[in-house]
Amino acid sequence: MTIERVKPKTIEVRRVHGLVARAAGLPDVRAEVEANHDENRWWPTTIGDPRVRMLAAGWSSRVSYRMVDTYAGVITSAEARGFDDLVTSTDAELASLVRPIGLPQTRIGYMRSLAELLQRWEKEGVDPTAESADLDALILDFATRVRGASYKVAQCALLTARGYHCGIIPVDSGMVTKLAPVLGITLPSGAMAHERMRHVLEAVVHARSAEFRALVTDNEYQVTIPEEAEPTWWVHLVLIYFKRLYLNGPSPQLCRRRPVCTKVVGCAHPTRTV
């Protein structure tokens, strides 16, 4: 069952925009966003086959940031072999391929069930890259049928298949547990929290698209956003790197009075110790 899309509250819109505005001005956040916006290290545009892109999204799960180069090597090897060749490979061959990033049985199970889902979609005439596709339904189907695919993985898989600027804002566990409280966003319990938060963030960007684009220009970000696209990918990266750099620790600059304090970091209030 998909979660009903609910219009974000005015305070949610204000807080999301306020946090993105503050985070976007942080030099370390900007550096990470610029390094990963036009060509993301995890989900590179050089992968031409949408099926391999969806595979890469799943295989990036539970790979630490310090292992991104190792992961990139595995994905490069997978792309070179091609999706159809991977499907006909033995489990032993696949295990050898993914061994550098660990969890071989989990990753093999993901790939096998992904192939089954894609075959099912093809028979049903479902094109996950079509603009007319029902994204909520696709994400639910993906999360339900692909082994090891949470809502987060499903969101990422559809994002990579459709392209960075398709409008999807993936939400990982840290965004649910650390970022949502900073923003004062109330989420349902369980896996559906990822979908609810995705809906909120996407709706906020849709409501204030021009203002978010202005933040890109005002902060002189060296990124390319298609003229017709809402800056959902840019907002996702700003939030994900703010979370990683300031909330995972958390940073001593983080205000204790969030989300009431609109500055969140670098304010005059006493800050959290680490």
Side-chain angles (χ1 to χ4, degrees):
M1 179 182 297
T2 54
I3 189 169
E4 180 183 359
R5 281 188 176 262
V6 179
K7 184 178 179 180
K9 302 173 184 177
T10 301
I11 194 170
E12 292 176 333
V13 175
R14 185 170 65 249
R15 284 174 175 167
V16 171
H17 180 269
L19 177 58
V20 172
R22 185 71 182 92
L26 299 169
D28 47 1
V29 171
R30 173 178 166 172
E32 293 286 4
V33 172
E34 289 184 338
N36 288 281
H37 187 278
D38 291 6
E39 189 62 43
N40 187 258
R41 297 180 70 193
W42 295 94
W43 309 320
T45 59
T46 52
I47 300 175
D49 188 339
R51 299 174 300 174
V52 179
R53 292 188 182 191
M54 286 187 269
L55 178 65
W59 281 2
S60 68
S61 181
R62 299 179 69 180
V63 176
S64 67
Y65 200 79
R66 67 179 180 275
M67 289 186 63
V68 63
D69 290 334
T70 301
Y71 157 83
V74 170
I75 298 305
T76 297
S77 297
E79 182 191 15
R81 293 179 60 172
F83 192 82
D84 292 325
D85 182 71
L86 292 172
V87 171
T88 59
S89 296
T90 66
D91 283 3
E93 291 170 332
L94 293 173
S96 178
L97 173 65
V98 302
R99 187 167 291 114
I101 56 175
L103 303 174
Q105 294 309 310
T106 298
R107 302 192 193 284
I108 292 169
Y110 174 87
M111 197 217 72
R112 298 288 190 209
S113 56
L114 170 62
E116 292 172 1
L117 175 64
L118 293 177
Q119 289 177 349
R120 181 188 182 97
W121 280 353
E122 185 177 8
K123 290 180 181 178
E124 295 175 351
V126 176
D127 179 0
T129 66
E131 290 187 11
S132 59
D134 184 336
L135 290 179
D136 289 353
L138 288 177
I139 289 171
L140 174 63
D141 204 21
F142 197 107
T144 302
R145 298 183 183 279
V146 178
R147 292 194 294 277
S150 60
Y151 278 102
K152 176 201 73 172
V153 171
Q155 293 165 1
C156 293
L158 270 297
L159 169 78
T160 57
R162 297 169 65 85
Y164 300 150
H165 307 286
C166 66
I168 296 174
I169 299 183
V171 173
D172 71 5
S173 298
M175 292 173 75
V176 168
T177 61
K178 298 179 184 295
L179 191 61
V182 169
L183 293 166
I185 297 175
T186 301
L187 300 174
S189 60
M192 293 307 294
H194 294 261
E195 279 291 85
R196 166 60 181 158
M197 189 166 183
R198 176 177 73 86
H199 292 166
V200 170
L201 295 177
E202 290 172 4
V204 170
V205 176
H206 179 72
R208 293 197 173 185
S209 181
E211 294 174 54
F212 283 111
R213 272 189 170 271
L215 292 176
V216 178
T217 302
D218 293 346
N219 287 284
E220 300 182 337
Y221 270 74
Q222 300 302 304
V223 298
T224 303
I225 303 175
E227 185 176 348
E228 71 280 2
E230 294 180 348
T232 47
W233 176 240
W234 179 81
V235 169
H236 164 74
L237 291 178
V238 169
L239 291 175
I240 205 77
Y241 283 112
F242 173 78
K243 181 214 58 164
R244 186 173 71 83
L245 293 168
Y246 289 85
L247 302 182
N248 285 355
S251 168
Q253 300 178 54
L254 194 65
C255 178
R256 288 182 180 178
R257 300 188 184 181
R258 64 190 193 279
V260 176
C261 175
T262 58
K263 283 192 173 182
V264 182
V265 293
C267 65
H269 300 139
T271 53
R272 184 185 296 270
T273 58
V274 293

